[in-house]
Amino acid sequence: VDYAGAGGVWVPNAGGMEQIGFLPNGDLAVAATGAIMRITPAGGVSQIANASGVYGLTIGPDGMIYVADWDKIERIDPATGQKTTVMPNNSPKVVAFNHDGSRMYFGTITNGGKVFYVDLDANYDPIGGAVLVGSTPQGWHDGIGLDICGNVYIAEYNINNLYRIGATTGGVQLLHDYSYSMYGHGLIWGSGSGGWD
């Protein structure tokens, strides 16, 4: 769908999907049922790697794919499909990076609504353990994003809410209480082109 609202089917019968991210070359990386898939701008579909139980997916500042599967966070090379575990615990469900790539943030599932960050080295490997940012009232995080100031935004499925966790205070603020039918599950920043739409 373009900015004016015109659109159509890109890839028919693509199957069940969770989160998606644009790779540096313009392909899409998709967390699909049992695998991470690649969708090209021309509509071609191929498998990058096996990935059972993945929900969260983002493209890191290094151009690698980062996925959360409720048990761990893995880094996947989009060219080879090679996987490396970067965070082995804490029930991660969604993952995001801050704007300078110095920290990786992740929301959780069935872990008391906890949101964590971990500092990263120049290779985007964790330095030290996970640090608690704050906690939402429930524990089923569907989306995570950070603004330029470092505030963390969390989409919470259990009660269909959107929260902001303050960068410096850790205070949790309810931004929007969605109805079940209007809740969007994920969270991704737009380009900013053409206004708020």
Side-chain angles (χ1 to χ4, degrees), residues 98-187:
N98 66 349
H99 285 268
D100 65 9
S102 63
R103 286 182 175 171
M104 179 174 63
Y105 288 74
F106 59 96
T108 59
I109 184 170
T110 62
N111 193 8
K114 294 175 183 173
V115 179
F116 296 95
Y117 76 80
V118 62
D119 288 316
L120 303 171
D121 65 18
N123 296 316
Y124 303 102
D125 292 321
I127 303 170
V131 177
L132 181 66
V133 176
S135 299
T136 62
Q138 294 288 324
W140 195 282
H141 298 153
D142 274 343
I144 185 171
L146 283 94
D147 64 21
I148 195 69
C149 299
N151 298 304
V152 183
Y153 296 77
I154 293 286
E156 164 62 65
Y157 171 73
N158 281 345
I159 46 180
N160 306 136
N161 287 340
L162 178 64
Y163 294 97
R164 178 173 52 211
I165 302 175
T168 57
T169 66
V172 178
Q173 177 186 2
L174 173 65
L175 292 183
H176 195 75
D177 182 3
Y178 292 93
S179 67
Y180 178 78
S181 63
M182 294 299 292
Y183 175 71
H185 294 279
L187 192 156

Side-chain angles (χ1 to χ4, degrees), residues 57-116:
L57 180 149
T58 193
I59 308 304
D62 54 357
M64 297 292 182
I65 304 164
Y66 289 77
V67 297
D69 68 1
W70 306 13
D71 180 53
K72 62 189 172 299
I73 296 173
E74 289 183 311
R75 176 172 49 226
I76 301 174
D77 186 325
T80 66
Q82 179 180 351
K83 296 186 280 189
T84 305
T85 298
V86 294
M87 181 59 53
N89 51 30
N90 294 308
S91 304
K93 186 159 186 268
V94 288
V95 59
F97 290 84
N98 66 349
H99 285 268
D100 65 9
S102 63
R103 286 182 175 171
M104 179 174 63
Y105 288 74
F106 59 96
T108 59
I109 184 170
T110 62
N111 193 8
K114 294 175 183 173
V115 179
F116 296 95

